[in-house]
Amino acid sequence: MALMHRQSLVKFGSPVCETIVEAPSPQGGEVLLRVARCGLCHSDLHLQDGFFDAGQGQRIDITRGIKLPFTLGHEIAGTIEAVAPDAPRDLVGEKRVVFPWIGCGTCRDCTNGDENLCARNRYLGVAIDGGFASHVVVPDSRYLLAYDPLPAGFAAALMCSGLTAYGALKRALSHPRRRNILLIGLGGVGLMGLAIARAMGIEAIAIADLSESARAAALQAAATTAYDPAARETARRMLKDSGGGFDVIIDFAGNEASLNFAVGALARGGKIVVSGLIGGSFATPVVSFVHKRMSIEGFMTGTLDEARELLALAQSGRIAQPPMHEAPLRDAADWMARLRQGEVTGRIILTNEG
């Protein structure tokens, strides 16, 4: 039996480390994928911590149901190595990217096509073992999508950072007033969002980020204007540039400061979509919702159909690949620490090759 090498979480709040087990044999309709690339997402840090920051010193525990050692990683691409008896045998040897937001398959959300909303989910790298490993078991071949001619790392990142950004943009742009748009937080998801927004035909895109390197990367990727939220004149400048505020704002940071900044930059009748998970709490006077006629919507990941839509858009060549850096899987702990310290621009793609 082949061995499976993993970078596993063995204790919450501690770095991942290597664990070695026998590679599993797929059962039923399962598929065994040899992992080539797996993206490192900020959500992996929350899972490493074992909680989300709920603000006011409160935490949301996310350790329930997770059996240690546990393998993180949900942006996965690779080659199919083996299939179970109920899976198509002609898939062996094929390159595929994994849709990781897998539901229970029987609840109301799953039967409606919204597996990403399933309360009894089987999300890879979140609820069941994921892609920080040489192999991963995928519950069903329907979640494996062909990605050629895209690079494997780019295709993998599309299944989380891309899908979250794409879904947030779709929901933001469904707003009836969208004369202008602002993206807040240009990390891995935000930079992907900027690339997808351009592919969706949005030409004038303003961005805001505390990081000078993130703002520079966004401008290089064709953002129209970049704002530093900490600069003294930013609020006045933004309102002047936007003609009284932005109709559509997507917050890819998702903390108290970013959301307060978004509300201050929002035009009357505008919409904010929050897709970041940095954490904290948010409070605003109830009358402000009415007087400003604003709406705030939370959004994360997307459906299998949306994953197919996004993949087709990328395969058409319309999405420019955002900044990505490949690093060996064995260095996962180091890159997680660097991501936590804000030392990463773009997406880190862990690789089992080379």
Side-chain angles (χ1 to χ4, degrees):
M1 176 67 72
L3 295 179
M4 179 165 70
H5 294 256
R6 310 176 299 182
Q7 290 295 317
S8 301
L9 184 63
V10 298
K11 180 182 178 182
F12 290 105
S14 297
V16 296
C17 62
E18 184 175 59
T19 61
I20 303 174
V21 295
E22 289 187 350
S25 297
Q27 305 295 315
E30 294 176 343
V31 173
L32 182 68
L33 187 85
R34 175 172 286 278
V35 179
R37 303 288 189 276
C38 188
L40 172 56
C41 178
H42 205 280
S43 295
D44 293 315
L45 304 185
H46 297 303
L47 289 161
Q48 179 187 34
D49 292 337
F51 66 88
F52 285 111
D53 176 11
Q56 309 298 319
Q58 302 297 308
R59 293 179 173 181
I60 299 173
D61 188 294
I62 54 175
T63 63
R64 182 178 299 178
I66 297 180
K67 182 180 178 181
L68 302 179
F70 183 76
T71 306
L72 301 170
H74 50 269
E75 295 183 344
I76 309 164
T79 303
I80 296 171
E81 189 164 283
V83 298
D86 295 339
R89 295 198 58 80
D90 59 359
L91 285 175
V92 175
E94 294 293 315
K95 294 181 180 180
R96 293 292 187 269
V97 66
V98 183
F99 174 81
W101 313 112
I102 302 169
C104 68
T106 60
C107 71
R108 179 179 63 181
D109 289 321
C110 286
T111 56
N112 194 49
D114 297 316
E115 290 188 72
N116 58 310
L117 301 180
C118 178
R120 295 182 288 118
N121 63 72
R122 298 172 290 167
Y123 299 166
L124 292 177
V126 178
I128 62 176
D129 284 329
F132 287 5
S134 57
H135 299 78
V136 66
V137 174
V138 181
D140 193 285
S141 61
R142 70 189 296 261
Y143 303 110
L144 296 167
L145 309 176
Y147 63 83
D148 278 343
L150 301 175
F154 183 28
L158 288 173
M159 293 298 103
C160 178
S161 66
L163 190 54
T164 292
Y166 178 63
L169 283 160
K170 284 180 64 176
R171 284 149 183 83
L173 296 178
S174 68
H175 191 60
R177 294 176 58 183
R178 48 183 185 276
R179 296 165 296 185
N180 48 29
I181 184 171
L182 172 69
L183 309 182
I184 299 173
L186 273 292
V189 182
L191 284 169
M192 183 70 84
L194 175 59
I196 294 172
R198 296 285 298 175
M200 294 172 73
I202 306 170
E203 296 183 358
I205 307 169
I207 67 95
D209 197 289
L210 293 169
S211 166
E212 183 177 357
S213 62
R215 294 195 302 273
L219 288 171
Q220 188 172 1
T224 308
T225 312
Y227 298 101
D228 178 359
R232 288 184 58 185
E233 295 298 316
T234 293
R236 182 180 301 177
R237 179 185 162 205
M238 289 178 68
L239 291 175
K240 180 180 179 181
D241 291 349
S242 62
F246 291 90
D247 290 328
V248 173
I249 299 177
I250 302 178
D251 181 2
F252 290 120
N255 61 16
E256 182 178 2
S258 65
L259 193 47
N260 279 320
F261 180 77
V263 170
L266 191 67
R268 286 181 176 271
K271 180 175 184 176
I272 300 170
V273 178
V274 185
S275 288
L277 286 170
I278 291 178
S281 60
F282 171 74
T284 194
V286 174
V287 294
S288 294
F289 282 92
V290 178
H291 286 173
K292 201 162 188 176
R293 298 159 179 82
M294 67 179 178
S295 58
I296 301 177
E297 177 181 354
F299 180 79
M300 185 176 66
T301 72
T303 68
L304 181 56
D305 282 343
E306 287 176 322
R308 293 189 180 108
E309 292 172 9
L310 177 61
L311 198 56
L313 184 64
Q315 288 170 317
S316 74
R318 292 167 58 189
I319 302 177
Q321 181 176 311
M324 292 182 180
H325 174 76
E326 293 193 347
L329 176 64
R330 63 178 177 271
D331 295 337
D334 177 57
W335 282 105
M336 290 178 76
R338 294 176 67 173
L339 179 62
R340 190 181 294 276
Q341 295 300 318
E343 298 174 1
V344 173
T345 299
R347 207 59 156 185
I348 298 300
I349 306 295
L350 300 175
T351 175
N352 277 307
E353 299 175 359

